[in-house]
Amino acid sequence: MKSRIVYIMVILSMLLSLAACSGGQKTAQKKTYTYQDMVVGFIQTGSEGGWRAANTASFKETAEKLGIKLKFYDAQNKMENQLSAFRNFIADKEVNVIILAALETTGWEDVLKEAQKAGKIVVLEDRRIDAPETLYATYIGSDFAEEGRKAAIEMCKLLEGSAKKNVVELVGNVGSSAAKDRGQGFREKMGECGITIIKSQTANWDATEGKAVMEAWLKETTDIQGVFAQNDEMGLGAAQAIKEAGLDPGDDIKIITVDATAGAFKAMIAGDINTVIECNPLLAPQVYEAALKALNGEELPKWIPSQEGVFYAKDAETILPTRKY
Ligand code: GYE
């Protein structure tokens, strides 16, 4: 009898030690990724001006600092290039994270499903898209609608007491979330002080195009009290056109832009631009941190908005030296 009890005890202890070590093997199999394990396929829009250059620099510099292997692709502002790059990164066995700055809000569902099937983490930076949230880990970018609302509120301040409040709007790439949402936000608030948008046209984020569109408008009418430019470059172009029409930008016609690049600060110091709404391009640290969390299986909020402010001409000279871009 005694030997039977000893025999059962021995079997039991063997089973317990087996369970413990297999459990250990199981936990040993669960890998914890570090930044050095990350191989990122980053799909950038293309060159659009100071904001974009700062955004790209943020991702390259931060990858270097963290030891992330970055495969950078510049889509030259072509949607078809972004889609083909996306598929190339899905096929690239080395890539475990894909980061996208989407040129357009639509057209992403198929590649996102392919990426999910291939087990790739997808993080959206800068631009949001219209696709099911389950298809990407998170979106890190600005609240563009809030930027538009801020612009309208600031334009109301600039036009206070003006008999007329005719405003013209220079729009970015019309398919982009930044353009759509800034326009929507501005329209939500402009009625509070009787602003009317008398002209609205895309200048594709570009200074030269912004100048050409403003020139054409001024040939039609000079009964314009304000310009809402959805980025700095287009606002700088409009200021040039206003000067060449013999008017004083920042005085005869008020100008508000979005981004807050160094060019806008210099234009505020020169008196050509009145107010600038900040849009932060230095997103890489937040984006890489979110990607690492997602790689390690963490659930993330589907949108992590950037924190941003408003800058005024009177403060520009003091603030410019503190700016990173
Ligand atoms: O405002 C503009 C750039 O997506 C927020 O894109 C970005 C916008 C920015 O071309 O300058």
Side-chain angles (χ1 to χ4, degrees):
M1 181 59 177
K2 211 170 175 186
S3 59
R4 269 174 66 79
I5 291 169
V6 169
Y7 176 70
I8 289 166
M9 293 290 279
V10 167
I11 296 296
L12 265 177
S13 63
M14 280 167 68
L15 286 173
L16 280 172
S17 55
L18 255 181
C21 84
S22 65
Q25 275 164 3
K26 238 185 271 153
T27 45
Q29 280 155 7
K30 192 170 173 342
K31 175 180 175 55
T32 302
Y33 290 91
T34 65
Y35 283 124
Q36 291 72 39
D37 299 315
M38 271 171 67
V39 180
V40 171
F42 178 33
I43 306 165
Q44 184 55 287
T45 56
S47 61
E48 293 163 330
W51 192 97
R52 191 60 55 193
N55 184 247
T56 291
S58 175
F59 280 89
K60 290 183 174 176
E61 289 161 13
T62 308
E64 180 86 27
K65 202 167 77 180
L66 297 175
I68 291 168
K69 182 168 185 182
L70 178 66
K71 298 186 176 191
F72 178 85
Y73 179 80
D74 180 326
Q76 307 287 318
N77 296 314
K78 290 189 175 66
M79 182 68 183
E80 60 272 23
N81 290 348
Q82 289 201 320
L83 288 166
S84 62
F86 209 112
R87 289 196 160 97
N88 291 337
F89 286 143
I90 290 170
D92 185 335
K93 297 268 177 286
E94 222 191 347
V95 169
N96 46 26
V97 173
I98 297 174
I99 295 173
L100 170 68
L103 276 163
E104 311 275 340
T105 51
T106 55
W108 296 102
E109 204 151 330
D110 291 347
V111 284
L112 288 170
K113 283 176 182 165
E114 291 163 30
Q116 197 161 68
K117 205 160 155 235
K120 311 271 176 164
I121 297 292
V122 175
V123 175
L124 306 175
E125 76 99 8
D126 170 26
R127 303 275 179 82
R128 68 165 180 77
I129 61 173
D130 298 332
E133 291 181 348
T134 51
L135 294 178
Y136 55 86
T138 188
Y139 158 52
I140 293 182
S142 303
D143 183 342
F144 299 127
E146 182 57 19
E147 293 169 353
R149 291 184 205 104
K150 286 177 184 173
I153 290 163
E154 294 303 326
M155 187 61 84
C156 282
K157 291 180 194 170
L158 291 170
L159 299 183
E160 198 171 342
S162 172
K164 289 194 175 177
K165 298 181 180 180
N166 295 331
V167 169
V168 295
E169 179 189 40
L170 291 166
V171 181
N173 166 345
V174 293
S176 71
S177 57
K180 290 178 180 179
D181 296 355
R182 284 173 184 162
Q184 172 231 314
F186 191 93
R187 285 161 177 73
E188 281 174 20
K189 287 289 183 184
M190 68 183 196
E192 289 182 8
C193 71
I195 286 173
T196 307
I197 291 182
I198 58 167
K199 307 269 185 196
S200 176
Q201 186 177 328
T202 186
N204 287 306
W205 308 119
D206 180 75
T208 307
E209 284 193 48
K211 182 180 179 220
V213 171
M214 191 69 204
E215 267 166 4
W217 286 339
L218 287 166
K219 285 194 179 93
E220 289 172 40
T221 174
T222 53
D223 188 13
I224 297 169
Q225 285 72 46
V227 176
F228 168 44
Q230 290 188 353
N231 82 335
D232 295 342
E233 278 76 11
M234 296 186 292
L236 293 169
Q240 197 53 42
I242 292 166
K243 277 182 194 165
E244 290 176 11
L247 297 168
D248 185 355
D251 192 8
D252 298 326
I253 298 180
K254 307 298 185 188
I255 300 182
I256 290 183
T257 69
V258 186
D259 277 347
T261 56
F265 277 87
K266 289 171 186 156
M268 284 199 282
I269 293 166
D272 294 344
I273 289 180
N274 301 86
T275 304
V276 175
I277 312 300
E278 184 182 23
C279 178
N280 178 14
L282 308 180
L283 301 175
Q286 264 186 295
V287 172
Y288 288 141
E289 183 189 20
L292 186 62
K293 284 178 177 172
L295 261 182
N296 284 312
E298 265 190 62
E299 279 298 311
L300 300 169
K302 284 303 177 182
W303 178 23
I304 305 172
S306 324
Q307 302 308 320
E308 294 153 348
V310 178
F311 296 107
Y312 303 97
K314 64 179 176 53
D315 306 318
E317 199 134 19
T318 316
I319 295 173
L320 178 57
T322 69
R323 298 289 293 168
K324 291 188 188 142
Y325 57 92

